[in-house]
Amino acid sequence: MKLLPIAPKASTATDHDPKMKWQRLLGEPLLHFVVVGAVLFGAYRLLTPAPEEHVDQQKIDLTKDDVRQLAVTWLAQGRPPPTPDEMRSLMDQKVTEEILFREAISLGLDRDDEIIKRRLAQKMDFLAADLATLDEPNNAQLKEWYSKRSDRFALSPHLSFRHLYFSFDKHGQATRETAAAAIALVSGKPKDSPAVASVADPFMFRNYYGDVTPEQMAKEFGPDFAKALFHLKPRSWQGPVQSGYGWHLIWVDSIEPGRVPAFEEVAPAVKAAWLDERYAEVKSNALKEMRSRYVVNLPTVTADDLQDLQVPAGASAQIELSAQ
């Protein structure tokens, strides 16, 4: 039996059809993967902004808009327009807050607590306070410190007195002469007798003041009255002495002159003052050291820059809420 050679496989028209080749190529999964990847990469580059330029953390720029905002906040608290000195103080406070904030961030104080910039600055302030209390002063240190500042702890003079009041409204220009003439009427009589009180006019406040200081009397009767009062001799009617209300005859019951107390009398107050001074010193030195690492640029602000300030409606309420 004769075998016939096997004929080669007949070629089809599709093997040479470019259209069919493209259809097979477009159906390849690898091509799909490449296309999808390219699309995703392009979308990422389009939607993701370019990284910001490096920010100099050692430089603080305060703009005029920043200054205006400080002034608006000042006005929103019901205060009159800020003076140039007050504006400089506000700008300095703003710079200090920014420095403390950045230093707090550099120490990582923001990583475990969601607080605002002002609270971070407060944390830096508290750190300075902790440093200030590391050294506990001994008695020898406190005594030496007190010896140089004892005048700060001086005790004011005290006195107790009663007075007879003569009113401007009742006696007019003759008020002083009326008061001076009344000394003869009360001389030799008990200082608290009704007969003595009857020669004077009713006083709206007290007729007797016990254990008072010059500062207290200056607030109630005026500084000139207080100064004259503490130069009177005790246990006799003296005067007349003028106040903002009229003229007065004065009887000083007792007076204790001012003095500088011994250290033992004021030891707790001395220690508290020493710690306060130590805290202020440590805080000031720390802030100076931190500020030396920054370049601070402040704008030149004139009165014209602040003339047209407007307090936004409801600003006071917003400030109160933000402060809570």
Side-chain angles (χ1 to χ4, degrees):
M1 178 174 167
K2 186 178 181 179
L3 296 177
L4 295 175
I6 299 174
K9 185 177 180 180
S11 62
T12 61
T14 58
D15 290 338
H16 302 284
D17 188 349
K19 181 177 179 181
M20 297 304 296
K21 287 183 178 181
W22 277 108
Q23 287 178 348
R24 285 199 306 271
L25 182 62
L26 292 177
E28 288 291 335
L30 181 60
L31 179 62
H32 296 170
F33 177 79
V34 172
V35 172
V36 171
V39 171
L40 291 177
F41 179 78
Y44 174 81
R45 292 298 302 271
L46 181 64
L47 299 176
T48 304
E52 296 180 356
E53 295 182 2
H54 174 69
V55 178
D56 187 358
Q57 290 299 317
Q58 306 307 116
K59 185 177 182 181
I60 297 174
D61 289 317
L62 219 60
T63 66
K64 286 193 174 183
D65 287 338
D66 294 329
V67 175
R68 288 175 60 85
Q69 184 57 46
L70 292 174
V72 169
T73 302
W74 172 280
L75 293 176
Q77 297 172 353
R79 300 174 178 179
T83 64
D85 286 342
E86 288 169 339
M87 282 308 309
R88 280 190 290 269
S89 177
L90 289 174
M91 288 190 289
D92 189 64
Q93 291 175 19
K94 182 68 174 178
V95 170
T96 296
E97 182 183 74
E98 183 64 26
I99 289 174
L100 291 175
F101 167 70
R102 294 188 187 184
E103 293 293 327
I105 293 297
S106 69
L107 292 177
L109 299 181
D110 62 323
R111 296 174 188 169
D112 58 352
D113 197 4
E114 295 180 2
I115 55 178
I116 60 176
K117 183 186 297 186
R118 181 176 56 191
R119 299 296 174 86
L120 287 174
Q122 287 176 346
K123 280 191 172 183
M124 292 296 296
D125 200 5
F126 295 154
L127 285 178
D130 290 340
L131 290 174
T133 57
L134 289 179
D135 298 329
E136 187 73 11
N138 56 42
N139 260 10
Q141 288 176 302
L142 292 177
K143 285 182 178 179
E144 181 182 359
W145 185 88
Y146 176 69
S147 67
K148 299 175 182 177
R149 302 165 178 81
S150 57
D151 56 317
R152 289 169 49 179
F153 300 85
L155 301 176
S156 295
H158 290 70
L159 63 71
S160 298
F161 75 98
R162 64 188 68 246
H163 69 108
L164 299 175
Y165 168 65
F166 298 86
S167 169
F168 286 131
D169 293 337
K170 184 174 181 179
H171 304 286
Q173 295 182 352
T175 303
R176 186 186 186 284
E177 289 74 15
T178 302
I183 292 181
L185 300 177
V186 299
S187 180
K189 297 179 181 178
K191 60 183 182 296
D192 54 354
S193 68
V196 169
S198 66
V199 304
D201 302 322
F203 187 60
M204 65 186 72
F205 301 121
R206 292 182 285 168
N207 294 320
Y208 178 80
Y209 291 82
D211 199 30
V212 294
T213 66
E215 293 76 18
Q216 291 172 322
M217 292 299 92
K219 289 180 179 179
E220 189 150 344
F221 290 94
D224 292 338
F225 179 92
K227 183 177 180 180
L229 178 64
F230 279 82
H231 285 85
L232 299 178
K233 296 179 180 180
R235 290 178 290 280
S236 67
W237 287 108
Q238 296 184 68
V241 178
Q242 187 178 14
S243 75
Y245 305 106
W247 289 86
H248 308 256
L249 295 182
I250 309 293
W251 178 288
V252 177
D253 279 342
S254 62
I255 183 169
E256 181 180 341
R259 65 185 179 89
V260 175
F263 169 78
E264 289 72 19
E265 294 180 68
V266 290
V270 172
K271 182 178 180 180
W274 187 95
L275 290 173
D276 287 343
E277 185 174 286
R278 172 68 175 155
Y279 163 70
E281 179 184 355
V282 170
K283 178 181 176 182
S284 176
N285 291 339
L287 185 56
K288 286 179 181 177
E289 193 279 329
M290 287 187 286
R291 187 159 186 160
S292 68
R293 303 200 296 265
Y294 290 82
V295 177
V296 178
N297 294 321
L298 300 177
T300 300
V301 181
T302 65
D304 293 338
D305 295 321
L306 306 174
Q307 279 186 347
D308 59 342
L309 292 177
Q310 297 292 330
V311 180
S316 297
Q318 293 175 4
I319 290 174
E320 290 178 1
L321 288 174
S322 63
Q324 293 177 355

